[in-house]
């Protein structure tokens, strides 16, 4: 499979950044063997879709559980698909902690996204105390299976994001990340059968140009979900380029 790198701009960005980023991106060599996706804040989806048409795929950072109705402030998967989104991040640790999203809600969102033709990027990851207590495999396995209840495996992406590595500058070591991706792969195979071998498992947590090559050199790592380092075209391109090199 091609590498997959997803930029999560979170609640950062502006029309000026989109303009600057797209000009810089156009000046960089085109990459092969990698799908690069940009997930801006919702109000910028149209502008990003237009500015990066044919250059980057479009993604969203969240979607509603519901298909439509009286849900003020929510955005339906179908609407995202209509705006050109191909991917949607679901169950990011910030949504799980700040908005109390449960595994069951994540699973509903993933099913809704799948039904709308989107690729749901389901995020899982343990907290620092859980890793320090050696509970990470059990915690992530439980979270994963709960978040995938009745979710079809087609178009699914799993992102392993240890909470202690997100936005902290502290990356999981390649061995820690690769081991956990191996555990996730095993769970996916048990759950989906042979199709579980085809689901991309990407890593997120302070991925930067400096550590991307080593991470992508690991057998079980198929790409990255990138926060901070995705706000600069050059650094996101360098990460995408490392993913591409790992696949060539
Ligand atoms: C993220 O937003 O999912 C993330 C991994 O952020 P950062 O790369 O900044 O750690």
């Amino acid at each position: 499979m091609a590498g997959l790198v997803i930029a999560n701009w979170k609640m950062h960005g502006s029309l000026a950044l989109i303009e600057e980023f797209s000009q810089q991106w156009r000046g960089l060599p085109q990459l092969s063997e990698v799908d690069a996706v940009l997930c801006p804040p919702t109000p910028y989806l149209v502008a990003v879709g237009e500015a990066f048409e044919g250059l980057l795929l479009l993604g969203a950072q969240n979607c509603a559980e519901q298909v439509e109705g009286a849900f003020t402030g929510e955005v339906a998967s179908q609407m995202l698909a209509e705006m050109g989104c191909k991917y949607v991040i679901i169950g990011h640790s910030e949504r799980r902690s700040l908005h109390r999203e449960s595994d069951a809600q994540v699973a509903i969102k993933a099913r809704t996204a799948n039904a709308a033709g989107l690729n749901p990027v389901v995020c899982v990851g343990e907290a620092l105390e859980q890793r320090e207590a050696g509970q990470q495999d059990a915690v992530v396995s439980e979270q994963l299976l709960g978040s995938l209840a009745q979710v079809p495996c087609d178009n699914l992406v799993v992102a392993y994001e240890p909470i202690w590595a997100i936005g902290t500058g502290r990356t999981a070591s390649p061995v820690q990340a690769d081991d956990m991706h191996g555990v996730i792969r095993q769970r996916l195979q048990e759950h989906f059968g042979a199709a579980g071998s085809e689901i991309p498992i990407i890593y997120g947590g302070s991925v930067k140009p400096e550590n991307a090559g080593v991470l992508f050199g690991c057998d079980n790592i198929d790409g990255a979900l990138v926060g901070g380092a995705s706000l600069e075209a050059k650094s996101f391109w360098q990460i995408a380029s490392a993913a591409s090199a790992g696949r060539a």
Side-chain angles (χ1 to χ4, degrees):
M1 66 182 87
L4 175 64
V5 289
I6 302 181
N8 176 14
W9 276 10
K10 310 192 184 190
M11 202 171 73
H12 295 292
S14 60
L15 290 176
L17 178 67
I18 293 165
E19 173 66 20
E20 183 193 326
F21 194 111
S22 72
Q23 271 186 18
Q24 289 175 0
W25 191 268
R26 281 166 205 280
L28 294 163
Q30 247 192 310
L31 297 169
S32 59
E33 298 298 325
V34 62
D35 290 329
V37 183
L38 178 47
C39 303
T42 310
Y44 297 129
L45 284 171
V46 174
V48 167
E50 286 172 3
F52 292 94
E53 196 172 356
L55 297 173
L56 289 174
L57 298 167
L58 188 63
Q61 299 177 15
N62 181 35
C63 64
E65 289 167 55
Q66 301 83 2
V67 174
E68 68 171 348
F71 303 105
T72 302
E74 293 290 340
V75 179
S77 287
Q78 191 55 50
M79 297 171 185
L80 297 173
E82 202 175 6
M83 297 328 292
C85 287
K86 300 282 178 241
Y87 290 81
V88 57
I89 300 168
I90 298 178
H92 189 281
S93 65
E94 287 153 15
R95 294 214 57 90
R96 288 179 184 267
S97 64
L98 301 173
H99 300 271
R100 302 269 177 271
E101 282 187 14
S102 66
D103 292 343
Q105 286 172 299
V106 171
I108 293 171
K109 289 186 178 198
R111 294 203 294 269
T112 311
N114 176 279
L118 298 171
N119 298 276
V121 181
V122 172
C123 303
V124 291
E126 81 284 359
L128 185 58
E129 319 80 77
Q130 293 167 326
R131 174 150 295 260
E132 284 175 347
Q135 297 165 341
Q136 66 274 7
D137 291 4
V139 166
V140 170
S141 296
E142 190 186 331
Q143 209 180 36
L144 180 75
L145 295 177
S147 303
L148 295 184
Q150 295 169 57
V151 176
C153 64
D154 48 300
N155 301 333
L156 179 64
V157 177
V158 173
Y160 168 56
E161 298 207 300
I163 298 169
W164 46 272
I166 299 178
T168 58
R170 189 177 161 180
T171 324
S173 72
V175 172
Q176 286 173 319
D178 198 46
D179 283 355
M180 183 59 81
H181 282 225
V183 170
I184 293 172
R185 175 67 68 211
Q186 211 180 328
R187 294 291 94 79
L188 292 174
Q189 287 166 340
E190 287 159 6
H191 188 67
F192 292 116
S197 308
E198 305 303 321
I199 297 167
I201 308 173
I202 62 176
Y203 171 78
S206 299
V207 176
K208 306 212 164 359
E210 301 76 45
N211 57 26
V214 185
L215 287 164
F216 297 147
C218 297
D219 287 348
N220 297 311
I221 298 181
D222 300 316
L225 180 51
V226 188
S230 72
L231 288 163
E232 279 179 20
K234 182 88 186 291
S235 61
F236 185 57
W237 182 89
Q238 286 171 327
I239 293 167
S241 169
S244 158
R247 303 278 138 182

